[in-house]
């Protein structure tokens, strides 16, 4: 009985794999090569960008956000990395081989387990949008902002609960099937119209609770946030409006997420008898990667400190500089405050060897700059 239960829990539609056509039959070679290059770009940008986001925010405090927002952003980065490994890495392997070659077990993981990071990211984006809206409206107390423990518990329970769900779906005879148009295994196919009512009801409920409602909440919250930012920036002098750049990053990320998942929401209609081109599934599959790729790029475009951190990291100057040594426009506005901030960072973050001596030398020069601003500042303004 245990063996039968085990086989049923990890069941897949084997006929869709055994009888699958070669990719050269349904698409020209040029399209296949283009998708191979696209998957390489997705994997490199997603894995590299989100790893830098995690490493920079944890080890070097490269993202200047409040603790709760930073926890949610890090959870989104973890979900994006997992999505790229469970979605686009198998698709890349199948594009190389021309058919599904990863076995039945990987089809189950690709079809059901890969839904876990996707749904977790949707839930995290919803929580992030609601939290930022409450923060903008002043409804979040200081004690709540400084207590991240409930958020850790909530996110941990979300990941754990979602891992269990696919096994219940399998017990309900909802089996993943191989779709050559997405080069991956998708969730249960109900397009033949011969499925029991409870299966159709289950899939419809999942799409409503994990797609429709979160997308409406995310869109509504971030449109309100954008409006509040617009009203605040219009009343604030331009010289004081620089910190709003960081605030604008979150709604931009959330709205990009909704935009990237919109084709997928339309593709879900094919499970309920709506006729769509099979190439629409290909479009929706790769359109979702826009979110995973765009997030680190948005952080770089909007957050000045994170952009400088990435430049230092990619140019191998991070060990020498000891982190983010460039001052920010948000924290320094005068030459003396800039030099003072630079000197403190040079002393506190300097590493051994040549870099330490350079930092100490700069600290001494910045001290002289406070006494002779015009003469010394010309000699050290290249720093940063």
């Amino acid at each position: 009985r245990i063996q039968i239960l085990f086989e049923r829990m990890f069941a897949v539609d084997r006929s869709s794999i055994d009888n699958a056509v070669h990719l050269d039959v349904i698409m020209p070679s040029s399209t296949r090569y283009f998708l191979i290059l696209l998957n390489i770009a997705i994997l490199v940008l997603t894995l590299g960008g989100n790893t830098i986001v995690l490493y920079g925010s944890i080890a070097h405090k490269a993202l200047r956000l409040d603790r709760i927002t930073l926890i949610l952003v890090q959870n989104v980065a973890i979900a994006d990395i997992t999505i790229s490994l469970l979605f686009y890495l198998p698709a890349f392997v199948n594009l190389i081989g021309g058919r599904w070659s990863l076995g039945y077990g990987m089809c189950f993981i690709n079809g059901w387990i890969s839904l876990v990071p996707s749904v977790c990211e949707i839930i995290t984006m919803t929580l992030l949008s609601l939290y930022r809206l409450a923060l903008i409206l002043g409804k979040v107390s200081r004690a709540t902002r400084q207590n991240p423990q409930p958020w850790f518990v909530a996110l941990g329970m979300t990941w754990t609960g979602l891992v269990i769900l696919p096994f219940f779906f399998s017990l309900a005879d909802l089996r993943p099937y191989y779709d050559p148009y997405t080069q991956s295994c998708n969730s249960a196919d109900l397009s033949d119209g011969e499925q029991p009512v409870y299966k159709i009801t289950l899939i419809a409920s999942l799409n409503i609770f994990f797609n429709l409602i979160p997308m409406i909440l995310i869109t509504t919250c971030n449109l309100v946030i954008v409006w509040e930012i617009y009203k605040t920036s219009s009343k604030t002098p331009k010289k004081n409006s620089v910190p709003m750049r960081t605030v604008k990053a979150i709604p931009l990320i959330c709205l990009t997420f909704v935009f990237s998942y919109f084709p997928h929401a339309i593709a879900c209609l094919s499970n309920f008898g709506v006729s769509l081109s099979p190439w629409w599934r290909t479009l929706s599959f790769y359109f979702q990667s826009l979110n995973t790729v765009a997030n680190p790029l948005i952080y770089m475009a909007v957050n000045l400190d994170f952009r400088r951190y990435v430049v230092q990291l990619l140019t191998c100057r991070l060990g020498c500089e000891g982190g983010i040594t460039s001052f920010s426009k948000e924290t320094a506005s005068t030459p003396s405050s800039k030099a003072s901030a630079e000197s403190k960072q040079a002393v506190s973050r300097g590493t051994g060897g040549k870099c330490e001596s350079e930092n100490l030398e700069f600290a001494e020069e910045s001290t002289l700059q406070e006494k002779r601003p015009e003469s010394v500042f010309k000699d050290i303004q290249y720093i940063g």
Side-chain angles (χ1 to χ4, degrees):
R1 291 180 179 179
I2 295 177
Q3 183 179 358
I4 294 174
L5 179 63
F6 185 81
E7 292 178 352
R8 187 177 179 183
M9 290 177 64
F10 291 93
V12 297
D13 187 357
R14 299 193 175 191
S15 61
S16 64
I17 297 177
D18 299 334
N19 303 323
V21 298
H22 198 276
L23 293 181
D24 290 337
V25 178
I26 64 174
M27 66 176 64
S29 299
S30 58
T31 302
R32 182 181 167 192
Y33 296 146
F34 171 74
L35 292 179
I36 290 175
L37 295 177
L38 180 60
N39 273 274
I40 293 175
I42 292 172
L43 290 171
V44 171
L45 292 176
T46 302
L47 294 176
N50 287 283
T51 301
I52 291 176
V53 169
L54 285 175
Y55 177 71
S57 61
I58 295 174
H60 299 282
K61 306 296 186 293
L63 285 175
R64 294 188 177 184
L65 299 169
D66 64 279
R67 296 183 66 183
I68 307 302
T69 303
L70 189 60
I71 291 171
L72 296 175
V73 166
Q74 290 170 350
N75 193 64
V76 170
I78 294 173
D80 287 339
I81 292 175
T82 311
I83 288 172
S84 65
L85 293 176
L86 295 181
F87 273 100
Y88 298 102
L89 185 58
F92 172 72
V93 174
N94 296 324
L95 283 168
I96 296 294
R99 62 174 72 248
W100 183 265
S101 56
L102 299 176
Y104 302 124
M106 189 62 196
C107 183
F108 174 83
I109 295 175
N110 187 239
W112 277 133
I113 304 299
S114 60
L115 293 179
V116 174
S118 299
V119 177
C120 188
E121 183 172 19
I122 293 174
I123 295 175
T124 305
M125 284 291 185
T126 306
L127 293 175
L128 182 60
S129 301
L130 293 173
Y131 173 75
R132 296 299 294 185
L133 177 61
L135 194 64
I136 291 292
L137 298 178
K139 303 297 183 180
V140 181
S141 63
R142 183 176 181 181
T144 302
R145 294 197 304 267
Q146 296 179 351
N147 184 20
Q149 296 300 327
W151 297 90
F152 282 120
V153 174
L155 294 176
M157 293 178 62
T158 301
W159 281 92
T160 305
L162 291 175
V163 167
I164 300 174
L165 283 179
F167 299 101
F168 288 100
F169 300 154
S170 298
L171 293 177
D173 290 332
L174 293 172
R175 301 184 176 184
Y177 71 100
Y178 173 62
D179 184 5
Y181 285 94
T182 60
Q183 303 88 47
S184 61
C185 289
N186 295 335
S187 55
D189 185 13
L190 305 179
S191 58
D192 55 6
E194 300 177 358
Q195 300 291 340
V197 177
Y198 77 91
K199 290 187 178 181
I200 299 177
T201 304
L202 179 58
I203 295 295
S205 301
L206 291 175
N207 280 282
I208 290 173
F209 286 105
F210 293 126
N211 281 326
L212 181 61
I213 295 178
M215 294 301 170
I216 293 175
L217 286 175
I218 293 172
T219 304
T220 304
C221 290
N222 285 280
L223 288 178
V224 175
I225 291 174
V226 170
W227 174 248
E228 292 294 331
I229 291 175
Y230 173 76
K231 291 195 303 182
T232 303
S233 60
S234 62
K235 297 177 182 179
T236 306
K238 291 185 178 180
K239 63 180 181 179
N240 298 327
S241 61
V242 176
M244 298 301 294
R245 298 179 61 186
T246 304
V247 180
K248 296 176 184 178
I250 304 301
L252 183 58
I253 290 170
C254 294
L255 293 177
T256 302
F257 172 79
V258 173
F259 179 72
S260 64
Y261 267 77
F262 183 73
H264 172 70
I266 297 178
C268 291
L269 298 176
S270 62
N271 289 331
F272 308 103
V274 179
S275 179
L276 294 173
S277 171
W279 288 103
W280 186 266
R281 297 198 299 270
T282 306
L283 175 65
S284 65
F285 178 74
Y286 287 102
F287 213 75
Q288 293 180 59
S289 66
L290 176 63
N291 171 66
T292 61
V293 171
N295 287 347
L297 300 179
I298 293 175
Y299 298 141
M300 288 184 60
V302 178
N303 194 303
L304 180 62
D305 288 332
F306 184 72
R307 182 165 66 249
R308 289 175 172 174
Y309 170 80
V310 173
V311 171
Q312 290 181 357
L313 182 65
L314 297 181
T315 55
C316 300
R317 292 189 292 115
L318 188 61
C320 177
E321 301 292 339
I324 305 176
T325 58
S326 300
F327 51 81
S328 171
K329 293 180 181 179
E330 301 174 8
T331 57
S333 57
T334 63
S336 59
S337 60
K338 292 176 184 178
S340 177
E342 288 290 332
S343 61
K344 291 179 181 179
Q345 292 178 350
V347 174
S348 62
R349 297 185 180 181
T351 56
K354 181 179 178 181
C355 298
E356 183 177 7
S357 61
E358 291 178 355
N359 288 334
L360 292 175
E361 180 181 357
F362 171 70
E364 294 175 356
E365 290 182 351
S366 60
T367 304
L368 294 176
Q369 186 268 342
E370 295 179 356
K371 300 179 180 179
R372 295 181 289 110
E374 297 181 357
S375 59
V376 182
F377 184 70
K378 293 181 181 180
D379 297 332
I380 63 172
Q381 63 183 0
Y382 67 92
I383 301 211

